[in-house]
Structures are given as structure tokens and as C-alpha cells.
Amino acid sequence: MASERHRASELLEREMIAVQVSNDIRMTVVGSPSYFATRGKPRHPRELRDHDCIHYRSRTHGGLFRWEFVEGGKRIEVAVDGRVSLDDVDFMMDAAVDSLGLGALPETRVRKHVADKRLVRALEPYGPVLPGFFLFYPSRAQVAPKLKALIDFLKKGRRRDPGK
């Protein structure tokens, strides 16, 4: 968790200020009950090689993301295989509900589908927590009143709703 924060901060110039404006994001692997009934449920991230996984393809970078997990306090990456690649979290969730494979998605996005038993979580002990979103601005500039108001608004919303 702390290492991810350092990665983001390393990309900043020294004269930039970073304000976290969203909560951290817990990731979870999910699949439909019928997928797990047919293919079984992985107990460890290395077992994902025996499963169809729904890839996330970055719109800006074009590459496929490796799935990240945490084991024994250390971050591990897993290159997964699958027939489906998407660039939208909602489409990925729909594909998982439709039994096209397993998805690695933000826990807050799948919560309702899990409660409705349309999706089932897997590999929960290994789920990483990723840093939330940040707003960056130069420290040498005076903070414009509108920017200050936006920062205060976003920080207030983050404190009020820690589950999102």
C-alpha cells in the first residue's frame, strides 16, 4: 500500500502538491456462481492460469494490465489469460455476471452484485488496496479560490463516504 503511494509521488516534480480526493480502492476477483460451479474457485492467485480472466485494456496506454495481489505483505503480479479484453469497468462487471470469466474489479463497484448473489468473490485474502485518486497542482502558484473550493469539496466527500 505505501509502496503504491511512493510510486505515484515519484512521478511528481518536487514543486507539485498532491491531495488525495478519493478513498483507497480495494480490488477483488469476482465471478458468477455458474462460472464457479463449472470451473471451480481459485484458492491462490497462481491458480488463475487455469481460468478465463477478463482483461482490462487501458484506453491511454493500450496495454493489458497484470493482476496485482498481496501475499505475506509483498505485492505479486500475475499475467492472466482470457478470451475477453475490455476498457470499461461496467462492461467487465457485466461480462463476469454473464459467466465470460473472472474479473478483477473495485470492491465498491461489485458490492451490489455480490449482495444480489449475481457475483461471488474469490481470492479475498490476496486482494490489494490501491491508492485512491489524487489532484495535483503546482505549489508555487497561489491556490485560486475555485480550486480551493474544489479541493475542500472533494476531501469532505471522501471523509463522509469511506466505502466509495
Side-chain angles (χ1 to χ4, degrees), residues 32-78:
S32 71
S34 63
Y35 178 90
F36 287 130
T38 304
R39 303 288 301 270
K41 198 172 185 183
R43 294 181 307 272
H44 189 276
R46 71 176 160 262
E47 293 179 16
L48 290 171
R49 70 182 81 133
D50 300 325
H51 288 271
D52 277 327
C53 296
I54 302 163
H55 290 282
Y56 177 76
R57 181 176 298 279
S58 170
R59 292 178 189 174
T60 55
H61 298 104
L64 297 176
F65 279 87
R66 289 177 163 241
W67 289 17
E68 293 185 12
F69 297 95
V70 176
E71 182 176 29
K74 295 184 180 183
R75 190 176 72 100
I76 58 173
E77 288 185 352
V78 176

Side-chain angles (χ1 to χ4, degrees), residues 74-137:
K74 295 184 180 183
R75 190 176 72 100
I76 58 173
E77 288 185 352
V78 176
V80 297
D81 262 339
R83 299 171 287 152
V84 179
S85 298
L86 300 165
D87 66 358
D88 182 272
V89 172
D90 289 327
F91 289 151
M92 291 176 68
M93 192 165 37
D94 291 343
V97 168
D98 291 340
S99 301
L100 295 178
L102 302 179
L105 298 162
E107 196 277 332
T108 55
R109 298 296 294 272
V110 300
R111 198 176 285 155
K112 182 172 177 4
H113 288 305
V114 169
D116 294 342
K117 298 184 178 9
R118 296 178 71 202
L119 289 174
V120 176
R121 290 185 182 101
L123 303 173
E124 288 185 79
Y126 304 97
V129 177
L130 305 177
F133 294 100
F134 287 79
L135 177 69
F136 301 99
Y137 61 92

Side-chain angles (χ1 to χ4, degrees), residues 144-157:
K146 289 180 182 179
L147 178 58
K148 172 85 170 101
L150 174 64
I151 292 168
D152 291 344
F153 173 78
L154 293 171
K155 287 170 77 174
K156 186 177 182 181

